[in-house]
Amino acid sequence: MLQVENLSKTYGAFRALRDVSFSAQAGEVFGLLGPNGAGKTTLLRVLATLLRPDSGTATLAGHDVLRESETVRGLIGVVNGGMGLYDRLSGREILRYFAGLYGMTRAQADARIEALNASLDLESTLATRAAGFSTGMKQKIVIARAVIHDPPVLILDEAASGLDVLARRALLDFVLAYRAAGRLVIYSTHVMSEVEEVCDRAAVLDRGELIAQGTVQGLLAETGQTSLERAFFALLQARALQDHALQDQALGRAPGGAA
């Protein structure tokens, strides 16, 4: 479903991505982990056709994200923290509007809205104007908007941020159901418990490079840790120690910094 090969992206002298490669398949939730500044959002923006990489390729369902960007945009749904809503429109009006942008008829849009209502528990959100939304209501509509056209790939970038426990539970259940229907979900988050619950596999980025990938159990076994949070820190620490050793070698120092 998704194939990423040697993606690199720089901003001036800063290398946000360095030869990142991985694949993700239909019917799975693929986690994307890393500290702030690791390159996660840059990678997701490339996959969403919002940024052009300096080198490398990414294909989604066989379509190149650069050469076939218009086709790719019809195959994805994107949720991130920076997406606004039209305050004067109700939840239902927002969803109908975006359904129309995807070429759906009013009948198709309403049928899809009812299906999303059943899975996301939209209810009063559909009749309320966006100006009166709580954080949870807003995020539900943002997610519903992203999947109104039933895309085979859903990209979630910190989608649970700011949600209360009930809204967060609804989101995670929706992610699992979306995967079960044979679609791919790319799930980027800082919350390791969410990854442990919903992700089939995960990749760890640090300073633009992919330093580990595998199942949650595989990452635990690789690091000898009992929780994903501990495994995550162990991977970052191992990477830092490796970098220090390389710096010492380049400067002709013994390990530990001795001359």
Side-chain angles (χ1 to χ4, degrees):
M1 176 65 79
L2 174 63
Q3 188 72 39
V4 176
E5 296 184 1
N6 303 118
L7 274 187
S8 294
K9 177 66 179 178
T10 60
Y11 299 101
F14 176 70
R15 296 193 68 183
L17 296 175
R18 306 183 185 194
D19 296 320
V20 172
S21 298
F22 66 91
S23 62
Q25 307 304 319
E28 74 173 343
V29 181
F30 189 88
L32 194 59
L33 313 178
N36 289 336
K40 303 185 302 299
T41 297
T42 294
L43 174 58
L44 294 180
R45 286 176 177 172
V46 170
L47 299 181
T49 77
L50 300 176
L51 282 177
R52 295 182 64 88
D54 298 326
S55 60
T57 62
T59 58
L60 194 152
H63 299 282
D64 188 277
V65 299
L66 293 179
R67 296 194 303 269
E68 302 172 89
S69 58
E70 288 297 326
T71 299
V72 169
R73 288 168 191 160
L75 298 173
I76 62 175
V78 180
V79 176
N80 62 42
M83 304 179 106
L85 297 171
Y86 301 113
D87 284 349
R88 295 186 179 183
L89 298 183
S90 69
R92 186 180 300 275
E93 289 169 338
I94 290 170
L95 297 181
R96 280 175 173 170
Y97 174 74
F98 278 86
L101 296 179
Y102 286 106
M104 300 170 66
T105 65
R106 174 62 69 88
Q108 290 172 330
D110 286 345
R112 179 63 175 155
I113 289 169
E114 289 311 309
L116 291 171
N117 182 22
S119 58
L120 286 170
D121 189 26
L122 300 175
E123 291 301 337
S124 61
T125 307
L126 293 174
T128 303
R129 288 188 177 184
F133 283 176
S134 66
T135 300
M137 294 169 73
K138 179 178 180 179
Q139 195 70 338
K140 283 185 178 182
I141 290 297
V142 167
I143 294 167
R145 181 180 67 180
V147 298
I148 191 68
H149 57 307
D150 198 18
V153 178
L154 176 59
I155 298 173
L156 300 174
D157 188 6
E158 298 293 341
S161 178
L163 298 185
D164 63 27
V165 63
L166 295 178
R168 176 180 171 276
R169 180 74 266 154
L171 169 65
L172 297 181
D173 288 345
F174 178 78
V175 167
L176 291 172
Y178 209 74
R179 173 201 65 184
R183 306 177 186 92
L184 168 63
V185 181
I186 306 295
Y187 196 91
S188 175
T189 181
H190 288 292
V191 183
M192 299 299 157
S193 61
E194 294 174 7
V195 178
E196 290 177 313
E197 180 172 352
V198 303
C199 292
D200 300 287
R201 294 188 299 128
V204 181
L205 290 174
D206 183 35
R207 286 170 285 172
E209 295 185 22
L210 194 152
I211 62 172
Q213 63 176 311
T215 64
V216 171
Q217 289 303 315
L219 294 174
L220 296 181
E222 179 181 342
T223 57
Q225 300 297 325
T226 57
S227 72
L228 186 59
E229 183 172 298
R230 289 183 179 275
F232 176 75
F233 284 119
L235 289 166
L236 295 183
Q237 185 178 44
R239 169 65 185 281
L241 291 173
Q242 182 184 47
D243 286 349
H244 287 315
L246 291 173
Q247 290 172 5
D248 287 341
Q249 184 179 24
L251 295 172
R253 298 187 304 214

